[in-house]
Amino acid sequence: MFDNLSGRLEGIVKKIRGKGRLTEADVDEVMKEIRTALLEADVNVTVVRSVCNRIREHAIGATRSQALDPGQQVVKAVNDELTRALGGETLSITYASKPPTVVLMAGLQGSGKTTNSAKLASWFKAQGRQPLLVGADLQRPAAVEQLRTLGAQIDVPVYSDPEDPVLTAHQGLEEAKRLGRDVLIVDTAGRLSIDAEMMEQVRLISGAVDPDYTFLVIDAMTGQDAVQTAEAFHETLKIDGVIMSKMDGDARGGAALSVKEVIGRPIAFASTGEKLNEFEQFHPDRMAGRILG
Ligand code: GDP
């Protein structure tokens, strides 16, 4: 992921690092290259504009301040702005004082909701928690079975009721309390595209379990469409964070760099493969550092 952007930015950084002096003309040239690199990485144009404006401001400041190493200051500005675009700080989970902590998973069909529900359950287990998975995706015939299979692999129980998704969510919450499970993860139905019926169902499920966290799973490979999806979901549900899935298949990284600025919510977790352990908390600063090489 970010392969091209990383290559391009590394080249730019090499050119300006260690330069004793930077002129405004140098800054203009560097900014042109950064802008092109970001646009080619499929970053949302509004995001490109604001990121570039802020880097430029720092860069011009560096040319005027007669700083020892102005090139280094520009590199730092690029690093800071990438970190900011990627969400700023790592989202840390605050557990509900009265368990269970409820997590609602939303997203389009095929985005990786079911897989990532299990991955997240496994992550919570590694934090010493005892999750319960709820299969409230009754739309896709195999979804609950898939969740049961994944749950068995990580030794996490799965609750579902074939009757009704909202009832399933509600009863799942009761089941978690009864069994003393301290985290509840509710997988919901997706559709191929946003539609009113789907939004209403997930809104009702949300109302039934009153989630502490609502995570939107988006497929990184869908680029700017993913950002539009995020905007649409955020209008209906209060999204707390994004789970960016299929980051392993996305060489450009445009969705990851755009989503925070567009919906104002950070990427909480990154999914980087089909295997259940290919999942990690998302650290914007580390990712920015990796992009810059
Ligand atoms: P859902 O319809 O949103 O529940 O999507 P699924 O969880 O069934 O995932 C759809 C497909 O994407 C499955 O084949 C998953 O194995 C695959 N998948 C999910 N996450 C990732 C990921 O991070 N990387 C890759 N390469 N595949 C993924």
Side-chain angles (χ1 to χ4, degrees):
M1 158 142 228
F2 297 115
D3 303 346
N4 296 343
L5 179 63
S6 184
R8 295 285 294 265
L9 290 181
E10 273 177 39
I12 298 168
V13 163
K14 218 173 267 167
K15 263 199 271 178
I16 56 169
R17 202 172 244 162
K19 250 191 172 208
R21 256 180 63 81
L22 268 187
T23 63
E24 286 203 21
D26 290 331
V27 170
D28 284 340
E29 199 188 314
V30 166
M31 289 316 304
K32 210 164 107 191
E33 288 181 36
I34 293 175
R35 185 171 296 111
T36 309
L38 289 171
L39 288 171
E40 282 179 4
D42 190 35
V43 179
N44 175 290
V45 283
T46 317
V47 179
V48 173
R49 200 171 303 133
S50 55
V51 165
C52 286
N53 283 345
R54 287 194 292 259
I55 296 174
R56 190 186 159 77
E57 228 170 82
H58 283 284
I60 292 292
T63 63
R64 296 192 180 141
S65 72
Q66 314 219 325
L68 270 184
D69 189 347
Q72 185 57 34
Q73 290 200 21
V74 177
V75 175
K76 182 177 179 306
V78 175
N79 183 69
D80 289 351
E81 290 308 324
L82 286 179
T83 304
R84 181 175 168 142
L86 289 166
E89 299 196 344
T90 305
L91 185 128
S92 69
I93 302 285
T94 307
Y95 293 95
S97 53
K98 212 167 147 242
T101 300
V102 178
V103 179
L104 184 75
M105 304 287 278
L108 293 181
Q109 185 173 316
S111 60
K113 243 180 308 89
T114 303
T115 315
N116 281 291
S117 297
K119 287 180 170 194
L120 189 61
S122 179
W123 183 86
F124 276 117
K125 255 191 96 173
Q127 310 298 308
R129 302 279 155 174
Q130 292 192 302
L132 173 71
L133 282 159
V134 173
D137 178 358
L138 305 183
Q139 218 70 35
R140 187 161 63 86
V144 174
E145 221 25 67
Q146 183 187 347
L147 194 63
R148 287 197 194 283
T149 306
L150 295 170
Q153 283 173 26
I154 54 172
D155 198 21
V156 169
V158 176
Y159 178 85
S160 190
D161 180 327
E163 285 299 308
D164 176 77
V166 181
L167 195 68
T168 291
H170 177 74
Q171 288 173 345
L173 178 58
E174 294 307 312
E175 184 78 352
K177 288 180 190 161
R178 200 176 63 76
L179 297 173
R181 310 296 292 191
D182 55 10
V183 176
L184 185 75
I185 300 171
V186 185
D187 183 23
T188 65
R191 302 286 156 89
L192 291 175
S193 61
I194 303 280
D195 70 46
E197 199 189 325
M198 167 200 175
M199 284 301 181
E200 181 58 11
Q201 185 184 98
V202 73
R203 204 178 60 74
L204 289 174
I205 292 175
S206 179
V209 294
D210 189 19
D212 298 286
Y213 289 95
T214 299
F215 288 140
L216 178 67
V217 181
I218 60 182
D219 176 345
M221 294 203 304
T222 58
Q224 289 311 302
D225 284 351
V227 179
Q228 274 177 20
T229 303
E231 266 187 304
F233 270 95
H234 195 50
E235 275 171 24
T236 303
L237 294 171
K238 190 186 125 302
I239 302 296
D240 297 294
V242 167
I243 296 180
M244 190 62 77
S245 81
K246 309 189 194 180
M247 284 184 84
D248 51 308
D250 170 39
R252 298 208 288 172
L257 275 161
S258 309
V259 73
K260 169 69 198 301
E261 183 113 349
V262 175
I263 67 164
R265 293 291 184 271
I267 301 170
F269 294 91
S271 168
T272 55
E274 292 194 68
K275 293 201 203 86
L276 289 179
N277 62 358
E278 290 171 315
F279 183 83
E280 59 195 20
Q281 254 191 310
F282 189 76
H283 301 289
D285 51 347
R286 288 188 211 165
M287 186 55 91
R290 242 189 277 166
I291 295 174
L292 282 179

